[in-house]
Amino acid sequence: MVNESIPGNQSIGGNGFVRNPLDDPTLAIVAAVVCAANIGLLLILLFTYVASYRQLKSQFTLGLVIFATLLIVQNIMFMFFLLVRSGFHGPGMGFPVLSLSVVEFGALVVLLKTTWI
């Protein structure tokens, strides 16, 4: 069967099932790339917070060091699950996990910008 176009950004695949492009499992791979970028931003934040802690010895700065460290661990685990566990990149999971990674990336950019002001 030839792919036929259906209104609403859906198409009929060769097996006859309606497929929504937002359900594409390869979006989870893109989410893993964004997750790696998040880890990079978090490492920059972590080094900035560690340098500040060495100068200030502030409890707040120590809290930021712990916060950044835990987020790095969370992102490493999430990226591992995205790449290894099939449930994280199965049908219907690509767009939700990509959305979460992109939102986190935006939040980290804002945090990095306010940290350097």
Side-chain angles (χ1 to χ4, degrees):
M1 174 183 268
V2 177
N3 285 350
E4 300 173 23
S5 211
I6 294 179
N9 293 329
Q10 296 179 345
S11 64
I12 295 179
N15 57 6
F17 292 107
V18 175
R19 185 180 64 83
N20 188 331
L22 295 179
D23 288 342
D24 188 357
T26 58
L27 290 178
I29 303 302
V30 176
V33 171
V34 175
C35 205
N38 289 343
I39 292 169
L41 292 177
L42 285 163
L43 286 171
I44 293 169
L45 283 168
L46 179 64
F47 289 130
T48 304
Y49 295 152
V50 167
S52 293
Y53 181 72
R54 287 183 178 158
Q55 290 177 347
L56 303 174
K57 302 289 186 206
S58 162
Q59 290 287 29
F60 178 74
T61 310
L62 179 60
L64 291 173
V65 169
I66 294 168
F67 176 77
T69 302
L70 290 173
L71 278 179
I72 290 170
V73 170
Q74 181 263 333
N75 273 277
I76 290 170
M77 290 173 61
F78 190 58
M79 189 167 62
F80 172 77
F81 291 142
L82 283 172
L83 296 174
V84 175
R85 301 292 298 181
S86 62
F88 274 80
H89 51 83
M93 290 301 295
F95 185 71
V97 296
L98 177 59
S99 299
L100 293 173
S101 295
V102 168
V103 168
E104 182 179 351
F105 182 82
L108 291 173
V109 167
V110 169
L111 184 59
L112 187 60
K113 184 173 170 66
T114 57
T115 297
W116 280 351
I117 291 179

